[in-house]
Amino acid sequence: MAQITLKNLAHSYKPNATADADFALKEMDHVWQDGGAYALLGSSGCGKSTLLNIISGLLRPSHGRVLFGDRDVTDAATAERNIAQVFQFPVVYDTMTVRDNLAFPLRNRGMEPDYIKARVNQIAAMIGMEEILNRKARGLTADAKQKISLGRGMVREDVNAILFDEPLTVIDPHMKFELRTQLKTLHREFGHTMIYVTHDQTEALTFADKVVVMYDGRVVQMGTPQELFERPGHSFVGYFIGSPGMNFFDATVAGHTATVLGETLALGASYAPPKGRVQIGIRPEFCVLGRSGGLPFSIRRVEDVGRHRIIRGTVAGANVNVTLPEGMEIDADANRVLFAPEKINVYADDWRVSPEGEEN
Ligand code: ADP
Ligand code: MG
């Protein structure tokens, strides 16, 4: 196994691309640590599959290099890279039995029959297919076929990495949770580097130790779920992670204060006046309603979402959400929204600004 390094990597599907917009992946440097469990999270079209296919070798990048350890594999064929990849839709051999489908990658590598048998049984148990090992794949549901694809992706112990490209799309919701748990167990047991692509934040946050967030062909942040929640590095991370996402306000910021709509708000840290479009961001969980201080707020409606409630309202016509913890009453006369100063983040042109004295 090996660390995977992307060096000055960029990709355009167009020949002679020059403009930024021509690139499905903008230039990036990125390191995937050996043995990490990563989620690659972003909305449809942001470049997740492009990135995955470059790592596995299905696609040659138009710029930059791919390294496995110290070895440059940019021009190495997929087979040479020792990577298992599971795609969004099942790829199985219909005429083979479930057992033979699972055994295929091992037979290909000339493994011992006894080992193959034991390993296939182990994987079959993981994906709940012990009972149907001798059935032909033809005629199985899409769900079952995708489980075989997953199993085949996991069967080899000698791979550099396992890449999953939205593998649970066709799986029913109950089984999704089950399989995700299995993947985590597998990761803990075998320590393979795993990169799990998804557009679903719940999947990303439950699977991964580190979440890599992509937006418009760029990696905008890599961090633990907690880091992404507390310090979104880009406004997209603020919006995309959390439900509902972060609230943003245009502001001027200097020292320990932000000015929003002519009102002065305290910040938890001191900032040198940032350049560009300056905003403050605050998560709904760190907002409370009151009758003085903060910003003017009008309640539109209240949503019950199980354990807590979400107050949807507006500040100067713009939508703002406030999370109300379990058991807390709503003051019907509340007309201001207040922010916990130390939970406010500052953004300039969508990128988070570090406060003075923050270690990076
Ligand atoms: P994601 O997997 O995040 O949904 P993709 O990597 O598939 O995103 O696509 C990123 C961008 O590249 C999109 O704009 C998509 O239309 C474009 N793209 C993907 N595959 C091809 C291709 N084979 N040829 C041309 N453009 C492509
Ligand atoms: Mg994709």
Side-chain angles (χ1 to χ4, degrees), residues 27-32 37-43 46 48 51 195-196 198 204-205 208-242 246 248 283 345-347 350-354 358-360:
E27 190 170 310
M28 66 173 75
D29 284 285
H30 194 82
V31 174
W32 311 83
Y38 294 96
L40 186 54
L41 175 69
S43 27
C46 72
K48 303 181 297 297
L51 187 56
I195 306 177
Y196 184 101
T198 177
L205 299 175
D209 306 327
K210 284 276 173 72
V211 179
V212 179
V213 185
M214 281 186 75
Y215 172 66
D216 190 24
R218 285 194 173 87
V219 170
V220 288
Q221 189 171 11
M222 172 165 81
T224 61
Q226 190 185 349
E227 284 163 352
L228 300 182
F229 184 78
E230 291 181 351
R231 296 180 178 191
H234 187 276
S235 61
F236 176 75
V237 181
Y239 287 124
F240 199 66
I241 294 197
M246 203 171 217
F248 288 93
R283 291 209 175 269
N345 283 281
V346 174
Y347 294 85
D350 291 315
W351 293 95
R352 182 175 179 274
V353 180
S354 298
E358 178 179 279
E359 286 178 36
N360 283 309

Side-chain angles (χ1 to χ4, degrees), residues 37-88:
Y38 294 96
L40 186 54
L41 175 69
S43 27
S44 181
C46 72
K48 303 181 297 297
S49 294
T50 302
L51 187 56
L52 221 57
N53 292 341
I54 286 173
I55 294 172
S56 66
L58 290 176
L59 189 65
R60 193 196 182 285
S62 51
H63 296 78
R65 317 300 303 172
V66 180
L67 308 179
F68 285 9
D70 295 331
R71 182 174 167 226
D72 188 326
V73 296
T74 316
D75 294 297
T78 306
E80 275 179 68
R81 297 190 189 194
N82 254 344
I83 289 236
Q85 191 167 4
V86 180
F87 300 92
Q88 190 167 3

Side-chain angles (χ1 to χ4, degrees), residues 32-352:
W32 311 83
Q33 298 294 345
D34 188 14
Y38 294 96
L40 186 54
L41 175 69
S43 27
S44 181
C46 72
K48 303 181 297 297
S49 294
T50 302
L51 187 56
L52 221 57
N53 292 341
I54 286 173
I55 294 172
S56 66
L58 290 176
L59 189 65
R60 193 196 182 285
S62 51
H63 296 78
R65 317 300 303 172
V66 180
L67 308 179
F68 285 9
D70 295 331
R71 182 174 167 226
D72 188 326
V73 296
T74 316
D75 294 297
T78 306
E80 275 179 68
R81 297 190 189 194
N82 254 344
I83 289 236
Q85 191 167 4
V86 180
F87 300 92
Q88 190 167 3
F89 297 101
V91 182
V92 296
Y93 304 104
D94 266 348
T95 56
M96 289 188 193
T97 60
V98 174
R99 182 192 304 283
D100 289 344
N101 265 288
L102 292 176
F104 191 80
L106 302 178
R107 294 214 176 103
N108 245 351
R109 301 241 139 199
M111 304 288 195
E112 292 296 319
D114 283 348
Y115 169 77
I116 294 177
K117 186 154 188 248
R119 181 70 182 156
V120 165
N121 286 338
Q122 196 181 359
I123 292 291
M126 257 178 188
I127 56 175
M129 294 213 141
E130 300 126 299
E131 307 296 321
I132 58 165
L133 273 175
N134 294 322
R135 267 185 65 176
K136 290 254 195 302
R138 178 183 294 128
L140 293 177
T141 60
D143 216 76
K145 287 185 181 177
Q146 184 64 349
K147 280 191 250 165
I148 300 174
S149 285
L150 267 175
R152 217 178 35 211
M154 303 186 300
V155 77
R156 281 178 55 202
E157 294 176 75
D158 63 337
V159 288
N160 278 317
I162 312 181
L163 313 182
F164 301 92
D165 197 349
E166 313 218 23
L168 303 184
T169 308
V170 297
I171 304 273
D172 80 66
H174 170 72
M175 194 67 201
K176 266 187 191 176
F177 178 79
E178 179 100 346
L179 284 173
R180 227 169 36 225
T181 310
Q182 294 283 17
L183 289 182
K184 265 214 100 109
T185 309
L186 190 90
H187 180 258
R188 234 173 282 131
E189 271 175 38
F190 294 100
H192 290 129
T193 307
M194 289 189 178
I195 306 177
Y196 184 101
V197 168
T198 177
H199 60 267
D200 178 334
Q201 57 162 317
T202 312
E203 280 196 2
L205 299 175
T206 51
F207 172 75
D209 306 327
K210 284 276 173 72
V211 179
V212 179
V213 185
M214 281 186 75
Y215 172 66
D216 190 24
R218 285 194 173 87
V219 170
V220 288
Q221 189 171 11
M222 172 165 81
T224 61
Q226 190 185 349
E227 284 163 352
L228 300 182
F229 184 78
E230 291 181 351
R231 296 180 178 191
H234 187 276
S235 61
F236 176 75
V237 181
Y239 287 124
F240 199 66
I241 294 197
S243 48
M246 203 171 217
N247 301 304
F248 288 93
F249 303 89
D250 285 329
T252 47
V253 165
H256 276 89
T257 55
T259 308
V260 177
L261 300 164
E263 316 258 3
T264 302
L265 304 174
L267 298 173
S270 177
Y271 294 82
K275 294 193 177 62
R277 181 190 183 191
V278 179
Q279 291 176 298
I280 58 165
I282 180 88
R283 291 209 175 269
E285 290 83 351
F286 306 128
C287 299
V288 291
L289 298 188
R291 299 186 192 185
S292 63
L295 300 175
F297 182 82
S298 4
I299 300 177
R300 276 194 303 125
R301 64 192 152 87
V302 178
E303 274 171 32
D304 220 313
V305 288
R307 264 180 306 183
H308 58 269
R309 284 179 288 176
I310 296 165
I311 304 164
R312 304 213 181 250
T314 53
V315 169
N319 292 333
V320 170
N321 300 307
V322 174
T323 302
L324 195 70
E326 194 174 11
M328 199 128 114
E329 289 307 313
I330 299 171
D331 173 1
D333 294 327
N335 57 4
R336 312 284 295 185
V337 59
L338 288 78
F339 309 143
E342 68 283 5
K343 301 297 186 186
I344 296 174
N345 283 281
V346 174
Y347 294 85
D349 293 333
D350 291 315
W351 293 95
R352 182 175 179 274

